[in-house]
Amino acid sequence: EDQVTQSPEALRLQEGESSSLNCSYTVSGLRGLFWYRQDPGKGPEFLFTLYSAGEEKEKERLKATLTKKESFLHITAPKPEDSATYLCAVHNYGQNFVFGPGTRLSVLP
Amino acid sequence: DTGVSQNPRHKITKRGQNVTFRCDPISEHNRLYWYRQTLGQGPEFLTYFQNEAQLEKSRLLSDRFSAERPKGSFSTLEIQRTEQGDSAMYLCASSLSGGGYSPLHFGNGTRLTVT
């Protein structure tokens, strides 16, 4: 059965303090790994898709990387507006997307 | 691109009542998904459609849940004889099928509270 775990469960950073979020996965056949941002009371917002080990994607202060077993979301010099829950999901060779439980990030001014 | 629209945004119902939610996907997207999310958890897959065909349902999905997508456009999710455990955020998402691996685009959900 496909599984996605994320760590840490919650993370508090000072503004400007860089860190990384982890997404570990087991999947029968990976078609893509996706990162989403979710604000309270809203639906997840798409950030990145990664398809193969070694691939990297960047957007503003966020950078996502992928290995055969895990993905990292690196946050460089975060700002308070980066506070959100970050979700990781894998797309397998069925058509389902399996989500992890998320990491709740708080960035303090 | 007007995004995925879900209605209502909030629904409060008494245990045992039936409820129906509506999702309008992005117009050119042919795949539509329903997920359920409880507090502190990631979205949990319920079912998905390609055009009007329902292609997969979660094994965890109770018989009280039914979804339709007539004419491959909007979709409805009905929960019959609601239970307190059905309280959750119900999320709809749409995507494009095809050669690429299109991400899901989510609506802002319908929050169901069963009292």
Side-chain angles (χ1 to χ4, degrees), chain B residues 2-52:
Chain B
T2 58
V4 177
S5 177
Q6 291 189 248
N7 288 288
R9 288 298 316 277
H10 303 276
K11 179 71 177 180
I12 300 173
T13 191
K14 293 184 177 180
R15 188 178 56 186
Q17 297 295 305
N18 299 345
V19 294
T20 300
F21 310 140
R22 177 179 170 122
C23 171
D24 288 273
I26 294 171
S27 57
E28 62 268 29
H29 286 183
N30 56 351
R31 287 200 176 136
L32 186 147
Y33 295 74
W34 285 99
Y35 280 81
R36 175 171 62 192
Q37 187 176 28
T38 54
L39 199 61
Q41 300 299 314
E44 174 191 26
F45 171 75
L46 295 179
T47 188
Y48 96 94
F49 294 82
Q50 179 152 323
N51 300 312
E52 66 275 11

Side-chain angles (χ1 to χ4, degrees), chain A residues 1 31 34 36 38 41-44 46 49 51 87 91 95-97 99-101, chain B residues 9 31 33 35 37 40-43 45 48 59 91 101-104 106-108:
Chain A
E1 184 175 327
R31 298 189 71 178
F34 300 81
Y36 287 83
Q38 186 173 27
K42 300 254 181 106
F46 170 69
T49 308
Y51 297 117
L87 296 163
H91 186 198
Q95 294 304 329
N96 190 6
F97 291 72
F99 282 82
Chain B
R9 288 298 316 277
R31 287 200 176 136
Y33 295 74
Y35 280 81
Q37 187 176 28
Q41 300 299 314
F45 171 75
Y48 96 94
R59 289 170 293 172
L91 292 164
Y101 304 138
S102 175
L104 298 179
F106 284 88
N108 282 324

Side-chain angles (χ1 to χ4, degrees), chain B residues 31-94:
Chain B
R31 287 200 176 136
L32 186 147
Y33 295 74
W34 285 99
Y35 280 81
R36 175 171 62 192
Q37 187 176 28
T38 54
L39 199 61
Q41 300 299 314
E44 174 191 26
F45 171 75
L46 295 179
T47 188
Y48 96 94
F49 294 82
Q50 179 152 323
N51 300 312
E52 66 275 11
Q54 188 173 18
L55 297 187
E56 188 175 344
K57 290 173 63 174
S58 168
R59 289 170 293 172
L60 303 175
L61 196 62
S62 161
D63 289 344
R64 297 182 295 105
F65 287 69
S66 62
E68 294 183 342
R69 192 183 182 196
K71 302 178 183 177
S73 56
F74 71 93
S75 176
T76 58
L77 177 68
E78 181 183 18
I79 308 174
Q80 295 182 328
R81 305 181 301 283
T82 52
E83 302 173 357
Q84 287 190 323
D86 296 331
S87 296
M89 174 79 88
Y90 289 84
L91 292 164
C92 176
S94 66

